[in-house]
Tab-separated table of all heavy atoms in Angstrom:
chain	number	residue	atom	x	y	z
Q	1236	VAL	N	15.677	3.477	5.883
Q	1236	VAL	CA	15.988	4.413	4.795
Q	1236	VAL	C	14.719	4.755	4.015
Q	1236	VAL	O	14.453	5.921	3.710
Q	1236	VAL	CB	17.058	3.815	3.848
Q	1236	VAL	CG1	17.152	4.627	2.560
Q	1236	VAL	CG2	18.411	3.787	4.545
Q	1237	LEU	N	13.921	3.728	3.695
Q	1237	LEU	CA	12.677	3.964	2.961
Q	1237	LEU	C	11.716	4.844	3.766
Q	1237	LEU	O	11.081	5.740	3.218
Q	1237	LEU	CB	11.996	2.634	2.628
Q	1237	LEU	CG	12.544	1.849	1.440
Q	1237	LEU	CD1	11.796	0.536	1.301
Q	1237	LEU	CD2	12.434	2.647	0.154
Q	1238	SER	N	11.610	4.567	5.051
Q	1238	SER	CA	10.698	5.338	5.911
Q	1238	SER	C	11.121	6.795	5.989
Q	1238	SER	O	10.295	7.709	5.896
Q	1238	SER	CB	10.654	4.729	7.320
Q	1238	SER	OG	10.153	3.412	7.284
Q	1239	GLU	N	12.429	7.016	6.160
Q	1239	GLU	CA	12.949	8.386	6.245
Q	1239	GLU	C	12.726	9.127	4.929
Q	1239	GLU	O	12.302	10.277	4.902
Q	1239	GLU	CB	14.440	8.341	6.580
Q	1239	GLU	CG	15.123	9.687	6.656
Q	1239	GLU	CD	15.025	10.325	8.028
Q	1239	GLU	OE1	14.464	9.683	8.943
Q	1239	GLU	OE2	15.484	11.461	8.178
Q	1240	PHE	N	13.015	8.454	3.826
Q	1240	PHE	CA	12.884	9.092	2.515
Q	1240	PHE	C	11.425	9.396	2.180
Q	1240	PHE	O	11.111	10.410	1.561
Q	1240	PHE	CB	13.489	8.180	1.439
Q	1240	PHE	CG	13.302	8.701	0.043
Q	1240	PHE	CD1	14.003	9.808	-0.396
Q	1240	PHE	CD2	12.422	8.082	-0.835
Q	1240	PHE	CE1	13.833	10.299	-1.691
Q	1240	PHE	CE2	12.247	8.551	-2.121
Q	1240	PHE	CZ	12.946	9.663	-2.551
Q	1241	SER	N	10.520	8.517	2.580
Q	1241	SER	CA	9.104	8.666	2.237
Q	1241	SER	C	8.401	9.750	3.046
Q	1241	SER	O	7.322	10.218	2.650
Q	1241	SER	CB	8.367	7.331	2.452
Q	1241	SER	OG	8.942	6.302	1.678
Q	1242	GLU	N	8.997	10.134	4.146
Q	1242	GLU	CA	8.343	11.087	5.045
Q	1242	GLU	C	8.059	12.415	4.336
Q	1242	GLU	O	8.915	12.971	3.635
Q	1242	GLU	CB	9.249	11.334	6.269
Q	1242	GLU	CG	8.512	11.950	7.439
Q	1242	GLU	CD	9.363	11.928	8.705
Q	1242	GLU	OE1	9.936	10.866	9.010
Q	1242	GLU	OE2	9.441	12.975	9.364
Q	1243	ASN	N	6.839	12.891	4.499
Q	1243	ASN	CA	6.397	14.173	3.941
Q	1243	ASN	C	6.364	14.209	2.412
Q	1243	ASN	O	6.375	15.291	1.818
Q	1243	ASN	CB	7.278	15.330	4.461
Q	1243	ASN	CG	7.223	15.453	5.972
Q	1243	ASN	OD1	6.163	15.278	6.577
Q	1243	ASN	ND2	8.361	15.723	6.583
Q	1244	LYS	N	6.341	13.055	1.782
Q	1244	LYS	CA	6.212	13.006	0.331
Q	1244	LYS	C	4.837	12.451	-0.034
Q	1244	LYS	O	4.303	11.587	0.662
Q	1244	LYS	CB	7.312	12.134	-0.286
Q	1244	LYS	CG	8.692	12.768	-0.262
Q	1244	LYS	CD	9.707	11.891	-0.967
Q	1244	LYS	CE	11.062	12.592	-1.076
Q	1244	LYS	NZ	11.668	12.840	0.251
Q	1245	ARG	N	4.304	12.948	-1.114
Q	1245	ARG	CA	3.008	12.468	-1.598
Q	1245	ARG	C	3.186	11.072	-2.177
Q	1245	ARG	O	3.842	10.895	-3.199
Q	1245	ARG	CB	2.462	13.418	-2.666
Q	1245	ARG	CG	1.135	12.992	-3.285
Q	1245	ARG	CD	0.654	14.028	-4.289
Q	1245	ARG	NE	-0.573	13.577	-4.963
Q	1245	ARG	CZ	-0.584	12.936	-6.125
Q	1245	ARG	NH1	0.557	12.697	-6.758
Q	1245	ARG	NH2	-1.724	12.557	-6.672
Q	1246	GLY	N	2.630	10.101	-1.516
Q	1246	GLY	CA	2.802	8.744	-2.015
Q	1246	GLY	C	2.384	7.692	-1.012
Q	1246	GLY	O	1.718	7.974	-0.017
Q	1247	ILE	N	2.799	6.470	-1.289
Q	1247	ILE	CA	2.421	5.312	-0.481
Q	1247	ILE	C	3.671	4.517	-0.152
Q	1247	ILE	O	4.479	4.211	-1.042
Q	1247	ILE	CB	1.434	4.402	-1.248
Q	1247	ILE	CG1	0.133	5.154	-1.534
Q	1247	ILE	CG2	1.156	3.118	-0.480
Q	1247	ILE	CD1	-0.785	4.407	-2.496
Q	1248	LEU	N	3.857	4.201	1.110
Q	1248	LEU	CA	4.898	3.281	1.559
Q	1248	LEU	C	4.215	1.973	1.922
Q	1248	LEU	O	3.461	1.907	2.884
Q	1248	LEU	CB	5.667	3.846	2.756
Q	1248	LEU	CG	6.665	2.893	3.436
Q	1248	LEU	CD1	7.707	2.404	2.438
Q	1248	LEU	CD2	7.338	3.574	4.628
Q	1249	PHE	N	4.451	0.942	1.128
Q	1249	PHE	CA	3.787	-0.351	1.334
Q	1249	PHE	C	4.814	-1.402	1.730
Q	1249	PHE	O	5.842	-1.568	1.072
Q	1249	PHE	CB	3.070	-0.783	0.050
Q	1249	PHE	CG	2.478	-2.166	0.133
Q	1249	PHE	CD1	1.382	-2.417	0.949
Q	1249	PHE	CD2	3.013	-3.212	-0.608
Q	1249	PHE	CE1	0.839	-3.690	1.027
Q	1249	PHE	CE2	2.475	-4.486	-0.535
Q	1249	PHE	CZ	1.383	-4.727	0.292
Q	1250	SER	N	4.524	-2.106	2.808
Q	1250	SER	CA	5.398	-3.189	3.272
Q	1250	SER	C	4.767	-4.526	2.911
Q	1250	SER	O	3.716	-4.894	3.461
Q	1250	SER	CB	5.617	-3.099	4.789
Q	1250	SER	OG	6.324	-1.927	5.127
Q	1251	ALA	N	5.388	-5.234	1.983
Q	1251	ALA	CA	4.885	-6.553	1.599
Q	1251	ALA	C	5.062	-7.530	2.748
Q	1251	ALA	O	6.027	-7.443	3.514
Q	1251	ALA	CB	5.619	-7.053	0.358
Q	1252	GLU	N	4.126	-8.445	2.885
Q	1252	GLU	CA	4.191	-9.462	3.931
Q	1252	GLU	C	4.618	-10.793	3.315
Q	1252	GLU	O	4.580	-10.980	2.097
Q	1252	GLU	CB	2.814	-9.609	4.600
Q	1252	GLU	CG	2.273	-8.334	5.225
Q	1252	GLU	CD	2.998	-7.947	6.501
Q	1252	GLU	OE1	3.735	-8.810	7.039
Q	1252	GLU	OE2	2.837	-6.807	6.964
Q	1253	HIS	N	5.033	-11.713	4.191
Q	1253	HIS	CA	5.404	-13.053	3.718
Q	1253	HIS	C	4.127	-13.868	3.499
Q	1253	HIS	O	3.845	-14.852	4.187
Q	1253	HIS	CB	6.323	-13.734	4.735
Q	1253	HIS	CG	7.651	-13.063	4.868
Q	1253	HIS	ND1	8.651	-13.214	3.932
Q	1253	HIS	CD2	8.134	-12.211	5.794
Q	1253	HIS	CE1	9.702	-12.494	4.291
Q	1253	HIS	NE2	9.420	-11.878	5.420
Q	1254	LEU	N	3.357	-13.413	2.520
Q	1254	LEU	CA	2.085	-14.046	2.181
Q	1254	LEU	C	2.059	-14.303	0.683
Q	1254	LEU	O	2.959	-13.902	-0.036
Q	1254	LEU	CB	0.920	-13.121	2.577
Q	1254	LEU	CG	0.827	-12.724	4.045
Q	1254	LEU	CD1	-0.200	-11.611	4.223
Q	1254	LEU	CD2	0.450	-13.925	4.912
Q	1255	ASN	N	1.001	-14.957	0.216
Q	1255	ASN	CA	0.909	-15.187	-1.223
Q	1255	ASN	C	0.539	-13.893	-1.944
Q	1255	ASN	O	0.183	-12.886	-1.337
Q	1255	ASN	CB	-0.074	-16.314	-1.546
Q	1255	ASN	CG	-1.493	-16.009	-1.072
Q	1255	ASN	OD1	-1.979	-14.882	-1.178
Q	1255	ASN	ND2	-2.159	-17.013	-0.547
Q	1256	SER	N	0.626	-13.933	-3.265
Q	1256	SER	CA	0.400	-12.739	-4.077
Q	1256	SER	C	-1.001	-12.171	-3.885
Q	1256	SER	O	-1.190	-10.946	-3.830
Q	1256	SER	CB	0.641	-13.075	-5.555
Q	1256	SER	OG	0.482	-11.943	-6.372
Q	1257	PHE	N	-1.996	-13.056	-3.768
Q	1257	PHE	CA	-3.377	-12.597	-3.619
Q	1257	PHE	C	-3.551	-11.791	-2.332
Q	1257	PHE	O	-4.158	-10.712	-2.332
Q	1257	PHE	CB	-4.332	-13.798	-3.606
Q	1257	PHE	CG	-5.761	-13.436	-3.350
Q	1257	PHE	CD1	-6.575	-12.964	-4.371
Q	1257	PHE	CD2	-6.298	-13.545	-2.072
Q	1257	PHE	CE1	-7.902	-12.624	-4.126
Q	1257	PHE	CE2	-7.618	-13.207	-1.821
Q	1257	PHE	CZ	-8.418	-12.746	-2.851
Q	1258	MET	N	-3.005	-12.295	-1.224
Q	1258	MET	CA	-3.156	-11.607	0.055
Q	1258	MET	C	-2.402	-10.282	0.062
Q	1258	MET	O	-2.882	-9.282	0.602
Q	1258	MET	CB	-2.675	-12.507	1.195
Q	1258	MET	CG	-3.536	-13.734	1.428
Q	1258	MET	SD	-5.266	-13.298	1.743
Q	1258	MET	CE	-5.123	-12.344	3.258
Q	1259	ASN	N	-1.209	-10.251	-0.541
Q	1259	ASN	CA	-0.472	-8.986	-0.612
Q	1259	ASN	C	-1.195	-7.978	-1.487
Q	1259	ASN	O	-1.166	-6.775	-1.219
Q	1259	ASN	CB	0.944	-9.233	-1.146
Q	1259	ASN	CG	1.948	-9.480	-0.037
Q	1259	ASN	OD1	2.080	-8.671	0.879
Q	1259	ASN	ND2	2.649	-10.594	-0.112
Q	1260	LEU	N	-1.868	-8.462	-2.526
Q	1260	LEU	CA	-2.642	-7.557	-3.379
Q	1260	LEU	C	-3.790	-6.939	-2.590
Q	1260	LEU	O	-4.110	-5.758	-2.754
Q	1260	LEU	CB	-3.172	-8.304	-4.593
Q	1260	LEU	CG	-3.972	-7.478	-5.621
Q	1260	LEU	CD1	-3.159	-6.296	-6.123
Q	1260	LEU	CD2	-4.419	-8.358	-6.783
Q	1261	ARG	N	-4.410	-7.730	-1.713
Q	1261	ARG	CA	-5.496	-7.198	-0.887
Q	1261	ARG	C	-4.955	-6.135	0.090
Q	1261	ARG	O	-5.593	-5.106	0.327
Q	1261	ARG	CB	-6.159	-8.336	-0.094
Q	1261	ARG	CG	-6.805	-9.428	-0.923
Q	1261	ARG	CD	-8.134	-8.981	-1.549
Q	1261	ARG	NE	-8.014	-8.081	-2.667
Q	1261	ARG	CZ	-7.676	-8.444	-3.916
Q	1261	ARG	NH1	-7.408	-9.707	-4.197
Q	1261	ARG	NH2	-7.619	-7.552	-4.876
Q	1262	LEU	N	-3.770	-6.386	0.649
Q	1262	LEU	CA	-3.167	-5.407	1.557
Q	1262	LEU	C	-2.783	-4.132	0.803
Q	1262	LEU	O	-2.952	-3.022	1.309
Q	1262	LEU	CB	-1.930	-6.015	2.235
Q	1262	LEU	CG	-2.183	-7.175	3.195
Q	1262	LEU	CD1	-0.865	-7.774	3.676
Q	1262	LEU	CD2	-3.009	-6.713	4.397
Q	1263	PHE	N	-2.289	-4.307	-0.417
Q	1263	PHE	CA	-1.920	-3.154	-1.243
Q	1263	PHE	C	-3.167	-2.360	-1.613
Q	1263	PHE	O	-3.159	-1.122	-1.612
Q	1263	PHE	CB	-1.202	-3.642	-2.506
Q	1263	PHE	CG	-0.638	-2.529	-3.347
Q	1263	PHE	CD1	0.457	-1.801	-2.918
Q	1263	PHE	CD2	-1.196	-2.219	-4.577
Q	1263	PHE	CE1	0.985	-0.780	-3.697
Q	1263	PHE	CE2	-0.686	-1.206	-5.363
Q	1263	PHE	CZ	0.414	-0.481	-4.919
Q	1264	GLU	N	-4.232	-3.069	-1.920
Q	1264	GLU	CA	-5.520	-2.452	-2.237
Q	1264	GLU	C	-5.980	-1.567	-1.076
Q	1264	GLU	O	-6.450	-0.436	-1.270
Q	1264	GLU	CB	-6.529	-3.568	-2.497
Q	1264	GLU	CG	-7.875	-3.137	-3.017
Q	1264	GLU	CD	-8.734	-4.364	-3.273
Q	1264	GLU	OE1	-9.339	-4.882	-2.307
Q	1264	GLU	OE2	-8.801	-4.818	-4.426
Q	1265	LYS	N	-5.821	-2.076	0.136
Q	1265	LYS	CA	-6.209	-1.312	1.333
Q	1265	LYS	C	-5.345	-0.059	1.488
Q	1265	LYS	O	-5.853	1.031	1.801
Q	1265	LYS	CB	-6.077	-2.199	2.570
Q	1265	LYS	CG	-6.447	-1.511	3.863
Q	1265	LYS	CD	-6.288	-2.446	5.064
Q	1265	LYS	CE	-6.629	-1.732	6.364
Q	1265	LYS	NZ	-6.432	-2.626	7.543
Q	1266	ALA	N	-4.032	-0.201	1.254
Q	1266	ALA	CA	-3.120	0.937	1.380
Q	1266	ALA	C	-3.453	2.028	0.361
Q	1266	ALA	O	-3.445	3.222	0.682
Q	1266	ALA	CB	-1.677	0.468	1.210
Q	1267	VAL	N	-3.769	1.623	-0.858
Q	1267	VAL	CA	-4.114	2.594	-1.901
Q	1267	VAL	C	-5.452	3.259	-1.581
Q	1267	VAL	O	-5.636	4.463	-1.801
Q	1267	VAL	CB	-4.155	1.925	-3.284
Q	1267	VAL	CG1	-4.576	2.927	-4.356
Q	1267	VAL	CG2	-2.786	1.345	-3.641
Q	1268	SER	N	-6.387	2.492	-1.034
Q	1268	SER	CA	-7.698	3.045	-0.660
Q	1268	SER	C	-7.552	4.113	0.402
Q	1268	SER	O	-8.235	5.149	0.372
Q	1268	SER	CB	-8.611	1.922	-0.152
Q	1268	SER	OG	-8.889	0.982	-1.167
Q	1269	GLU	N	-6.641	3.883	1.360
Q	1269	GLU	CA	-6.409	4.871	2.414
Q	1269	GLU	C	-5.822	6.151	1.830
Q	1269	GLU	O	-6.120	7.256	2.298
Q	1269	GLU	CB	-5.472	4.289	3.464
Q	1269	GLU	CG	-6.107	3.168	4.292
Q	1269	GLU	CD	-5.131	2.524	5.242
Q	1269	GLU	OE1	-3.921	2.876	5.196
Q	1269	GLU	OE2	-5.557	1.655	6.037
Q	1270	PHE	N	-5.002	6.015	0.798
Q	1270	PHE	CA	-4.410	7.195	0.164
Q	1270	PHE	C	-5.439	7.949	-0.665
Q	1270	PHE	O	-5.533	9.179	-0.594
Q	1270	PHE	CB	-3.232	6.783	-0.725
Q	1270	PHE	CG	-2.689	7.911	-1.558
Q	1270	PHE	CD1	-1.805	8.824	-1.016
Q	1270	PHE	CD2	-3.084	8.070	-2.889
Q	1270	PHE	CE1	-1.308	9.880	-1.784
Q	1270	PHE	CE2	-2.593	9.108	-3.661
Q	1270	PHE	CZ	-1.712	10.025	-3.099
Q	1271	SER	N	-6.216	7.231	-1.462
Q	1271	SER	CA	-7.136	7.875	-2.401
Q	1271	SER	C	-8.441	8.329	-1.756
Q	1271	SER	O	-9.136	9.198	-2.288
Q	1271	SER	CB	-7.450	6.925	-3.553
Q	1271	SER	OG	-8.210	5.809	-3.096
Q	1272	GLY	N	-8.776	7.692	-0.625
Q	1272	GLY	CA	-10.057	8.003	-0.005
Q	1272	GLY	C	-11.226	7.336	-0.699
Q	1272	GLY	O	-12.388	7.645	-0.418
Q	1273	GLU	N	-10.923	6.425	-1.614
Q	1273	GLU	CA	-11.954	5.685	-2.334
Q	1273	GLU	C	-11.801	4.181	-2.043
Q	1273	GLU	O	-10.760	3.736	-1.566
Q	1273	GLU	CB	-11.826	5.924	-3.842
Q	1273	GLU	CG	-11.916	7.386	-4.243
Q	1273	GLU	CD	-11.712	7.585	-5.742
Q	1273	GLU	OE1	-11.756	6.571	-6.469
Q	1273	GLU	OE2	-11.490	8.730	-6.166
Q	1274	GLU	N	-12.850	3.438	-2.337
Q	1274	GLU	CA	-12.780	1.989	-2.151
Q	1274	GLU	C	-12.226	1.367	-3.433
Q	1274	GLU	O	-12.936	1.151	-4.405
Q	1274	GLU	CB	-14.174	1.416	-1.841
Q	1274	GLU	CG	-14.126	-0.044	-1.424
Q	1274	GLU	CD	-15.474	-0.558	-0.954
Q	1274	GLU	OE1	-16.330	0.276	-0.586
Q	1274	GLU	OE2	-15.655	-1.787	-0.952
Q	1275	GLU	N	-10.933	1.079	-3.422
Q	1275	GLU	CA	-10.257	0.548	-4.602
Q	1275	GLU	C	-10.538	-0.949	-4.763
Q	1275	GLU	O	-10.771	-1.663	-3.785
Q	1275	GLU	CB	-8.750	0.778	-4.506
Q	1275	GLU	CG	-8.338	2.230	-4.278
Q	1275	GLU	CD	-8.518	3.095	-5.516
Q	1275	GLU	OE1	-8.818	2.542	-6.593
Q	1275	GLU	OE2	-8.339	4.326	-5.412
Q	1276	ASP	N	-10.509	-1.413	-5.999
Q	1276	ASP	CA	-10.732	-2.830	-6.296
Q	1276	ASP	C	-9.734	-3.261	-7.367
Q	1276	ASP	O	-9.830	-2.835	-8.518
Q	1276	ASP	CB	-12.165	-3.056	-6.784
Q	1276	ASP	CG	-12.446	-4.524	-7.087
Q	1276	ASP	OD1	-11.729	-5.388	-6.559
Q	1276	ASP	OD2	-13.379	-4.805	-7.875
Q	1277	PHE	N	-8.756	-4.093	-6.970
Q	1277	PHE	CA	-7.704	-4.515	-7.887
Q	1277	PHE	C	-7.780	-6.028	-8.117
Q	1277	PHE	O	-7.345	-6.806	-7.265
Q	1277	PHE	CB	-6.318	-4.167	-7.336
Q	1277	PHE	CG	-6.116	-2.700	-7.058
Q	1277	PHE	CD1	-5.331	-2.284	-5.989
Q	1277	PHE	CD2	-6.700	-1.732	-7.861
Q	1277	PHE	CE1	-5.131	-0.950	-5.735
Q	1277	PHE	CE2	-6.506	-0.382	-7.614
Q	1277	PHE	CZ	-5.723	0.018	-6.543
């Protein structure tokens, strides 16, 4: 449902992993960087 709804919309679809908060933050940082085209640092 999330994938279908997110299609063709301006935004980010992020899938959290079964990891600790720090590692998920790094994955989220990467996803946002791909969207913005900049090297994000969170």
Side-chain angles (χ1 to χ4, degrees):
V1236 167
L1237 281 177
S1238 298
E1239 178 87 3
F1240 175 71
S1241 302
E1242 198 169 312
N1243 300 321
K1244 287 184 174 64
R1245 178 178 176 266
I1247 297 170
L1248 172 58
F1249 174 70
S1250 295
E1252 302 287 346
H1253 294 283
L1254 301 169
N1255 61 40
S1256 182
F1257 175 81
M1258 293 303 297
N1259 268 305
L1260 182 56
R1261 298 285 74 77
L1262 294 174
F1263 187 71
E1264 188 178 82
K1265 180 180 179 182
V1267 177
S1268 296
E1269 291 175 355
F1270 172 82
S1271 68
E1273 302 177 13
E1274 189 173 340
E1275 305 287 352
D1276 181 22
F1277 302 146

